[in-house]
Amino acid sequence: MKYFNLHTHQFTNQPDVLELVNQYPQEFDASIPFYSIGIHPLYIDENRLESDFKILDEKLALPECLALGECGLDKRSETPFELQLSVFERQLALAEKYQKPVVIHCVASFQELIEIKKRLKVSVPMLVHGFSKKVELAKQLIDNGFYLSFGKNLLRSRSVGTELESVFKSIPNDRFLLETDMVEEGIQDVYALAAKYKELGLNELQEIVNRNYNQVFDFRL
């Protein structure tokens, strides 16, 4: 595997890229070879929750479903936060049942996220996708066992002069993955920039990400 894309909303079917395509229960596409599936906090619909959870239960049992997600917490969402908490914790129980990693969407809810991981004693890997916060929060998350994934905001850091370059440099090499999310650029662009920021050759970076992929997705071995 030359490239692994932890989180994308578009399947590009490139032979040298393993894409973890984000899927939602009510919009499931069976033609996608590898995917994550979850109930996003912005799209919780109480009228179809039981139907959504039935689909999650079915799909998480399949080998082509590599992870649960994206799911999580978002205080900027109009969805009541207590409902978000309930749905998120119920999804984490499914991740534990099927021993699948969790791809997390988190907005302004990181302390709650850490508390939930501790309280529920979540054993599966938990990955915060699209990380764009400060180094102090990155360290706190890593110290609590999370992985961080970088993509869209890392690419944007090239032109807007954010602190994210230094944050990414500070991340231990065994705790990060890379993604495109919904940007037009390919995962190859993310890898190239990540290698530049880490002052590594592309092959070295590919080896690091491959090791992290194996650690996260083969953690049961």
Side-chain angles (χ1 to χ4, degrees), residues 94-192:
L94 283 177
E96 288 286 332
K97 175 182 176 181
Y98 291 106
Q99 288 291 283
K100 297 288 174 84
V102 184
V103 179
I104 296 168
H105 168 98
C106 188
V107 175
S109 311
F110 287 100
Q111 298 313 309
E112 290 87 349
L113 179 64
I114 292 169
E115 185 276 328
I116 288 169
K117 184 177 188 296
K118 290 179 177 178
R119 174 167 49 83
L120 298 183
K121 298 180 172 60
V122 178
S123 67
V124 297
M126 300 180 75
L127 307 103
V128 177
H129 101 83
F131 190 78
S132 63
K133 304 304 179 184
K134 294 184 180 295
V135 67
E136 294 82 7
L137 179 57
K139 184 178 187 304
Q140 186 181 14
L141 288 166
I142 288 169
D143 288 347
N144 280 281
F146 290 87
Y147 291 80
L148 305 182
S149 182
F150 296 80
K152 176 178 69 176
N153 293 296
L154 197 66
L155 290 170
R156 299 296 173 260
S157 73
R158 293 176 297 187
S159 57
V160 299
T162 69
E163 300 176 27
L164 200 56
E165 176 182 348
S166 60
V167 172
F168 179 67
K169 287 179 178 179
S170 76
I171 304 300
N173 284 349
D174 63 348
R175 304 302 292 186
F176 75 85
L177 287 162
L178 301 171
E179 63 179 71
T180 57
D181 198 357
M182 300 180 76
V183 299
E184 294 182 0
E185 294 94 334
I187 192 65
Q188 297 87 348
D189 298 304
V190 181
Y191 268 67

Side-chain angles (χ1 to χ4, degrees), residues 180-220:
T180 57
D181 198 357
M182 300 180 76
V183 299
E184 294 182 0
E185 294 94 334
I187 192 65
Q188 297 87 348
D189 298 304
V190 181
Y191 268 67
L193 185 61
K196 176 184 175 183
Y197 284 172
K198 284 282 188 178
E199 299 181 350
L200 297 168
L202 180 58
N203 289 340
E204 291 177 284
L205 185 81
Q206 288 172 325
E207 290 175 3
I208 288 169
V209 175
N210 284 353
R211 284 198 300 270
N212 294 347
Y213 168 84
N214 290 330
Q215 185 174 337
V216 169
F217 292 93
D218 293 338
F219 69 97
R220 291 159 291 178

